């Protein structure tokens, strides 16, 4: 698929793949580092939880900046600052001054910068395509999704191998180097545009309100956000206790567990490949509810099957449909949301959808503790079914 994408975007995607793999190394290494420092599961969990908080607090502001400032410069700035922040961890460790609060602060700041970078990417993809070969948005978005899914497969495998050789702190330098490659690729991109205007406190508040009201009034994009909220709630319910379920209920060994997790990434890669040919033969109003229904069936399979690979097969099927759904929704939003407001609308949508993730995790823990760990698949299946209903009763069906 990557070979079909125009040259500038192709170069950017390759560098982004390297950077995403570096991010996966960081994501894998931070829990290991926190355990090395504290031997505390609570610290590991709270460092992960704090990654959601900046999205809720600063997501709308980030959207305004993306709409108002030069998007190419924003990506360059976010790239440089992330490299600097991550380099502080191994540097402080080498200087023997690293403390756990450093990890909290760095993780908090990195989440804001990553949100800024990711939202900007989605807003500039139409600009890159228009100024290059005019390829379809769905193809470009599918390639972007493919990069993310490949990194999710390669990163953890590479991280486990490298930690054994050079240690958790040193693999962070690889992440720093990956940002340098992305920086060079961004420099080669064409002008990505910006919306000139004031960015004082009053104007930022006005722009935030404008983006929120647009999202709330547009039934199509609001329906997508509601679907994502419900879907994230259900998926997080399962994912939060998946390891516990595999160990306690199915009593799997480490190799069997790794195979279950590998199927998640494999399903995501498959989803990025199938969405383009499916869109050629089915209109989006039919394809979207069909994907959601297949995801519902995926969760149902985990409920009724006692096969040791059933959870991986189930979540792999769900991941296939989720990635295809994400690609289609990304395309529709790029086509339907005013270009000068896309950053704000995307940011507010992320606030809504990310809020459901910690709630889903808490729900998963409650179900596992008070009923049965496998019960989370029932909750997730119900949530996915609600997504189907939203698609059938909303403007999505007319796409």
């Amino acid at each position: 698929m990557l070979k079909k994408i125009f040259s500038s975007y192709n170069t950017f995607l390759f560098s982004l793949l390297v950077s995403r793999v570096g991010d996966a190394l960081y994501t894998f290494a931070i829990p290991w580092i926190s355990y090395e420092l504290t031997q505390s599961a609570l610290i590991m969990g709270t460092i992960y939880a704090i990654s959601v908080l900046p999205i809720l607090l600063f997501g709308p502001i980030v959207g305004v900046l993306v709409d108002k400032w030069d998007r190419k410069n924003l990506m360059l700035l976010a790239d440089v600052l992330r490299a600097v922040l991550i380099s502080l961890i191994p540097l402080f460790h080498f200087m023997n001054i690293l403390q756990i609060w450093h990890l909290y602060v760095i993780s908090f700041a990195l989440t804001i910068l990553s949100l800024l970078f990711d939202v900007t990417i989605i807003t500039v993809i139409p600009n890159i395509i228009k100024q290059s070969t005019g390829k379809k948005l769905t193809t470009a978005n599918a390639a972007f999704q493919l990069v993310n899914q490949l990194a999710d497969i390669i990163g953890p495998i590479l991280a486990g191998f490298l930690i054994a050789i050079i240690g958790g702190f040193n693999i962070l330098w690889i992440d720093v180097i990956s940002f340098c490659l992305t920086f060079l690729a961004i420099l080669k991109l064409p002008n990505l545009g910006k919306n000139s205007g004031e960015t004082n406190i009053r104007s930022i508040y006005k722009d935030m309100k404008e983006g929120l009201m647009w999202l709330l009034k547009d039934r199509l994009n609001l329906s997508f956000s509601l679907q994502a909220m419900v879907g994230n709630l259900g998926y997080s319910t399962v994912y939060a206790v998946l390891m516990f379920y595999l160990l306690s209920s199915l009593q799997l060994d480490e190799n069997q567990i790794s195979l279950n997790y590998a199927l998640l990434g494999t399903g995501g890669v498959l989803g990025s490949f199938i969405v383009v040919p499916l869109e050629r033969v089915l209109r989006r109003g039919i394809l979207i509810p069909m994907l959601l229904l297949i995801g519902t069936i995926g969760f149902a399979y985990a409920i009724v099957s006692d096969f040791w690979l059933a959870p991986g097969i189930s979540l792999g099927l769900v991941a296939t449909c989720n990635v295809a759904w994400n690609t289609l929704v990304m395309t529709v939003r790029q086509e339907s949301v005013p270009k000068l407001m896309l950053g704000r609308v995307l940011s507010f949508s992320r606030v809504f959808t990310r809020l459901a993730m910690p709630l889903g995790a808490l729900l998963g823990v409650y179900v596992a503790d008070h009923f049965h760990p496998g019960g989370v698949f029932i909750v997730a299946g119900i949530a996915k079914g609600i997504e189907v209903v939203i698609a059938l009763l909303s403007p999505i069906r007319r796409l």
Side-chain angles (χ1 to χ4, degrees):
M1 180 179 294
L2 293 179
K3 292 182 179 179
K4 296 181 179 180
I5 306 300
F6 35 46
S7 57
S8 61
Y9 193 47
N10 183 45
T11 302
F12 176 68
L13 284 177
F14 176 75
S15 66
L16 185 63
L17 174 61
V18 176
S19 179
R20 293 293 201 227
V21 171
D23 293 342
L25 297 180
Y26 168 83
T27 302
F28 194 96
I30 286 301
W32 184 89
I33 291 172
S34 66
Y35 185 79
E36 285 285 301
L37 294 175
T38 66
Q39 287 76 48
S40 170
L42 177 62
I43 295 297
M44 293 173 63
T46 52
I47 289 179
Y48 170 77
I50 202 175
S51 66
V52 179
L53 186 59
I55 298 176
L56 304 180
L57 296 177
F58 299 103
I61 299 176
V62 165
V64 172
L65 297 181
V66 171
D67 286 338
K68 291 291 185 181
W69 291 2
D70 185 282
R71 290 166 177 172
K72 184 174 180 178
N73 289 338
L74 277 177
M75 295 172 71
L76 291 172
L77 178 64
D79 200 65
V80 170
L81 291 179
R82 287 191 295 174
V84 171
L85 284 171
I86 291 175
S87 68
L88 292 178
I89 298 176
L91 183 61
F92 284 178
H93 174 67
F94 177 76
M95 298 170 63
N96 202 30
I97 60 173
L98 182 65
Q99 299 182 37
I100 196 64
W101 69 267
H102 292 140
L103 299 184
Y104 280 107
V105 173
I106 291 173
S107 295
F108 189 92
L110 281 174
T111 299
I112 299 174
L113 293 170
S114 295
L115 176 65
L116 176 64
F117 190 87
D118 291 343
V119 170
T120 306
I121 288 178
I122 298 174
T123 62
V124 302
I125 287 177
N127 299 68
I128 301 174
I129 296 172
K130 182 179 179 180
Q131 297 182 34
S132 297
T133 65
K135 293 286 186 180
K136 282 187 176 182
L137 273 176
T138 303
T139 302
N141 289 329
F144 173 69
Q145 292 285 352
L146 176 60
V147 164
N148 292 329
Q149 298 305 314
L150 286 175
D152 285 343
I153 296 176
I154 299 171
I157 297 174
L158 187 61
F161 174 75
L162 290 176
I163 283 181
I165 298 176
I166 62 177
F169 289 98
N170 287 328
I171 68 172
L172 294 180
W173 290 116
I174 300 176
D175 192 16
V176 173
I177 295 172
S178 73
F179 285 120
C180 298
L181 180 60
T182 309
F183 184 89
L184 295 175
I186 296 172
L187 285 177
K188 295 182 179 180
L189 290 176
N191 180 35
L192 302 177
K194 68 175 180 177
N195 177 22
S196 59
E198 293 182 312
T199 53
N200 53 48
I201 294 178
R202 179 176 296 179
S203 67
I204 289 176
Y205 174 77
K206 178 183 177 181
D207 291 334
M208 287 169 54
K209 181 180 179 181
E210 185 181 31
L212 175 60
M213 295 309 297
W214 193 97
L215 177 61
L216 294 178
K217 291 180 180 179
D218 187 87
R219 291 188 60 209
L220 175 61
N221 282 278
L222 181 60
S223 298
F224 285 141
S225 296
L226 291 175
Q227 281 185 326
M229 285 178 61
V230 175
N232 282 345
L233 178 71
Y235 190 87
S236 298
T237 301
V238 172
Y239 198 80
V241 298
L242 179 59
M243 181 68 73
F244 179 75
Y245 174 68
L246 297 176
L247 287 171
S248 64
S249 297
L250 299 186
Q251 298 181 344
L252 305 185
D253 59 34
E254 59 273 16
N255 292 324
Q256 292 172 320
I257 291 174
S258 65
L259 286 174
N260 272 281
Y261 273 89
L263 288 175
L264 274 70
T266 304
V269 171
L270 179 60
S272 65
F273 276 110
I274 67 171
V275 63
V276 174
L278 283 176
E279 190 189 31
R280 293 195 186 111
V281 298
L282 294 171
R283 64 180 183 86
R284 295 167 181 170
I286 295 175
L287 182 54
I288 288 175
M290 184 184 76
L291 289 169
L292 296 171
L293 180 60
I294 295 174
T296 307
I297 295 172
F299 281 127
Y301 174 67
I303 297 171
V304 301
S305 175
D306 57 359
F307 179 43
W308 66 271
L309 264 179
I313 295 173
S314 169
L315 290 174
L317 186 60
V318 172
T320 299
C321 298
N322 283 350
V323 169
W325 180 90
N326 281 330
T327 303
L328 292 170
V329 171
M330 190 187 305
T331 301
V332 173
R333 281 188 159 150
Q334 289 164 339
E335 293 172 344
S336 62
V337 180
K339 288 182 173 57
L340 299 182
M341 200 181 294
L342 184 56
R344 282 166 283 175
V345 173
L346 289 175
S347 295
F348 269 112
S349 180
R350 289 202 173 202
V351 169
F352 296 153
T353 58
R354 294 303 188 273
L355 180 62
M357 295 173 70
L359 297 177
L362 291 175
L363 179 59
V365 172
Y366 178 83
V367 171
D369 284 344
H370 291 79
F371 301 98
H372 186 275
V376 295
F377 288 98
I378 299 176
V379 176
I382 294 173
K384 190 63 70 175
I386 294 174
E387 287 189 78
V388 176
V389 173
I390 293 174
L392 296 176
L393 298 181
S394 71
I396 295 174
R397 70 182 186 274
R398 296 195 292 267
L399 290 174

